Amino acid sequence: MKAYDRHILNALLDSYERSALFSGTNKVNRKVRFSFTRKNLPEYFDESSTAYEEIHASLRQMEAAGYIEIIWKKGKEGHIVQSVALNLKALPRIYSYLGRASKQQLLEEMIRLLKNLRQQYPTPVALRFVDFLLERLQAGKTVKEYISLSLPEEAERLVRAVSLMESNRKDCYLREFSIAHFSDSKAVEEMRPGIARIFRQFEPRFADSSAQDIFAEYSIYHTPNFVYFKGACALRPGRGSFVDLREMKEGIGLCGSALAHMKLEHTENIRKLITIENLTSFFRWQEQDCILIYLGGYLNEARRTLLKEIYRQIPGAACLHFGDIDIGGFEIYEDLCRRTGIPFRPYYMDLATLREYERFARPLTENDRGRLSRLREKHKEAPYLEVLDYMEDKGIKLEQECVELRS
């Protein structure tokens, strides 16, 4: 037999905990009710079952215990139930009867936990996230988009994962990181969307970053951390023999420790250092007297160090960045300049290029327009402002792959 008392009482408590009565913001005293409808309790309306009598017996027991008030349809007692109302004065006894922790109890326990986590994991993003949760909870606001009050262990794992990421200084793969800190290769991967959301919200530089870029910033990779090179020189990955890029039209990819020790050889003909945003364009692009590097989106520490070392080795080369003529492309360009200190200039990201390939352009979204305004406001002396003006006026943007091969 179905435990109708538990079903109805739990539904009433759920409604109460979501209500203004619980938060104390109610302006009108209203009863918390459970309505008898075919959706809420279909068996009550099934004439072929005995549920009708069972439910009535259960309701009378709950009313006798002082848990509820039965509201009969048209006031005809013993006929059809319209709804039941929760007796707020009996709340402690109802929670005890159900063996259920009250929301107030869960709230207090979560606040205590978060205060402890604040002491345990005082890294910047973790602190901002925990303070945000505490502020909302103490103001009686919901945090269900981030954590569940009934799952404190998951909240602790999420805060710990964010803080451990911020503290990571070793190149590793996502599953290695997960095993090392959670003894489970999939734990961090399952939290990955939530972690990325926290970094986007509480670290401004990640506002528009993908989860992959955010994790890579902290040297945690889903796949090997390749950087691709090609051009008019040779690479010496370590103490061994060098790799002549002049013989490799589509270049070579290096990852891991090879990047930390890489040196350039035969650089006498290099006039340009060009970073390229998209891999397809990197493979297609051919240009004389330069070294081309595909970095893959936003920079992490290892890639910043690499670029600084290359710039040190070829100080006379012009430094250029070739990316999409869209908001993301210019944001990546600004990030590249700011975080390397290298005087990069936009390459084929100018107004003439946009006009030449305008037939391939795509429309700006409302989100694009908002980001465009913020970018213009933030970088008032940028070399691409006339491009932003044209993009806004025409409502367009252009992917890098649309720009034809140059020589």
Side-chain angles (χ1 to χ4, degrees):
M1 183 172 69
K2 183 173 179 178
Y4 291 108
D5 58 344
R6 301 188 69 83
H7 173 72
I8 292 170
L9 288 173
N10 274 310
L12 284 166
L13 290 181
D14 289 343
S15 296
Y16 164 69
E17 291 179 348
R18 291 192 299 266
S19 73
L21 284 168
F22 176 82
S23 63
T25 59
N26 59 305
K27 296 181 179 179
V28 179
N29 287 327
R30 292 180 177 173
K31 292 184 177 181
V32 177
R33 299 172 183 261
F34 177 87
S35 298
F36 274 51
T37 65
R38 293 183 185 278
K39 180 180 179 181
N40 286 346
L41 205 61
E43 56 266 54
Y44 184 70
F45 301 91
D46 184 354
E47 295 179 2
S48 65
S49 79
T50 61
Y52 180 88
E53 289 81 7
E54 292 171 9
I55 292 169
H56 276 208
S58 182
L59 291 177
R60 290 191 183 282
Q61 289 176 356
M62 288 189 284
E63 188 173 51
Y67 296 160
I68 62 167
E69 174 194 353
I70 304 172
I71 301 164
W72 300 97
K73 194 170 184 179
K74 296 182 180 180
K76 295 181 179 180
E77 185 173 343
H79 186 46
I80 297 174
V81 177
Q82 178 176 310
S83 63
V84 296
L86 180 66
N87 180 5
L88 297 179
K89 294 180 180 178
L91 281 172
R93 291 192 294 117
I94 296 172
Y95 279 112
S96 177
Y97 172 70
L98 294 174
R100 167 172 167 166
S102 71
K103 185 176 179 181
Q104 185 62 38
Q105 181 183 346
L106 294 175
L107 179 62
E108 291 169 359
E109 290 175 355
M110 182 58 73
I111 288 174
R112 282 196 296 272
L113 172 64
L114 291 171
K115 287 180 177 178
N116 288 334
L117 292 177
R118 199 180 188 285
Q119 301 301 316
Q120 288 179 260
Y121 303 108
T123 53
V125 176
L127 274 178
R128 289 196 285 270
F129 176 51
V130 169
D131 286 345
F132 168 82
L133 296 176
L134 282 169
E135 182 180 346
R136 288 190 66 83
L137 290 175
Q138 290 167 340
K141 297 179 181 178
T142 181
V143 293
K144 64 182 180 180
E145 295 178 59
Y146 305 90
I147 60 173
S148 169
L149 294 181
S150 61
L151 297 171
E153 66 283 355
E154 290 190 6
E156 188 275 338
R157 282 161 66 87
L158 185 59
V159 173
R160 182 154 62 99
V162 169
S163 186
L164 289 169
M165 272 182 61
E166 291 184 272
S167 303
N168 186 60
R169 298 292 181 268
K170 177 184 177 183
D171 280 8
C172 61
Y173 297 126
L174 183 62
R175 292 199 172 191
E176 289 177 323
F177 179 82
S178 188
I179 289 172
H181 297 295
F182 295 92
S183 301
D184 179 348
S185 66
K186 296 181 180 178
V188 178
E189 192 163 8
E190 290 170 355
M191 290 187 280
R192 194 167 179 247
I195 291 170
R197 181 183 178 186
I198 289 166
F199 275 96
R200 289 189 198 104
Q201 182 169 347
F202 299 100
E203 177 49 70
R205 62 192 170 101
F206 293 131
D208 299 300
S209 298
S210 67
Q212 178 177 315
D213 286 337
I214 292 168
F215 275 75
E217 172 63 25
Y218 297 100
S219 302
I220 303 168
Y221 308 101
H222 201 276
T223 55
N225 178 32
F226 279 99
V227 175
Y228 291 90
F229 303 84
K230 66 180 181 180
C233 64
L235 303 181
R236 190 179 295 279
R239 295 182 179 179
S241 59
F242 64 83
V243 179
D244 195 339
L245 295 181
R246 294 167 294 187
E247 304 297 324
M248 308 180 75
K249 184 177 180 181
E250 294 190 343
I252 188 173
L254 297 177
C255 71
S257 60
L259 292 174
H261 305 288
M262 194 208 72
K263 302 293 182 184
L264 300 182
E265 304 264 345
H266 305 296
T267 60
E268 57 275 4
N269 293 322
I270 291 182
R271 300 290 178 266
K272 300 174 186 174
L273 162 62
I274 304 175
T275 57
I276 295 187
E277 183 178 339
N278 297 300
L279 191 56
T280 298
S281 294
F282 170 83
F283 286 133
R284 287 175 55 244
W285 205 262
Q286 301 295 324
E287 190 159 345
Q288 300 295 317
D289 303 331
C290 68
I291 179 169
L292 293 96
I293 303 176
Y294 167 72
L295 296 166
Y298 288 91
L299 296 178
N300 56 42
E301 182 61 36
R303 295 178 181 190
R304 288 196 294 274
T305 301
L306 171 69
L307 279 179
K308 289 178 182 179
E309 176 59 22
I310 291 175
Y311 181 59
R312 186 191 68 78
Q313 293 179 43
I314 49 172
C319 299
L320 308 169
H321 176 70
F322 177 27
D324 293 330
I325 305 179
D326 65 9
I327 312 308
F330 289 118
E331 287 173 339
I332 288 173
Y333 164 76
E334 291 291 350
D335 182 78
L336 179 67
C337 295
R338 178 176 61 85
R339 303 180 74 189
T340 62
I342 298 173
F344 281 95
R345 300 197 308 274
Y347 196 48
Y348 290 113
M349 298 173 72
D350 57 350
L351 185 55
T353 301
L354 178 56
R355 283 174 168 163
E356 183 177 354
Y357 297 101
E358 189 172 336
R359 64 190 182 279
F360 301 116
R362 296 167 56 213
L364 291 178
T365 65
E366 286 305 310
N367 182 53
D368 288 332
R369 290 184 180 277
R371 289 168 63 192
L372 188 152
S373 296
R374 291 192 294 273
L375 186 67
R376 182 193 284 116
E377 181 64 25
K378 188 175 181 180
H379 302 285
K380 296 181 179 179
E381 304 298 326
Y384 48 79
L385 292 181
E386 64 175 3
V387 183
L388 295 185
D389 291 340
Y390 191 83
M391 288 169 60
E392 186 172 39
D393 181 56
K394 297 288 186 178
I396 59 172
K397 58 185 176 182
L398 185 71
E399 293 181 326
Q400 178 182 27
E401 291 88 346
C402 299
V403 180
E404 296 176 2
L405 185 67
R406 302 293 182 98
S407 60

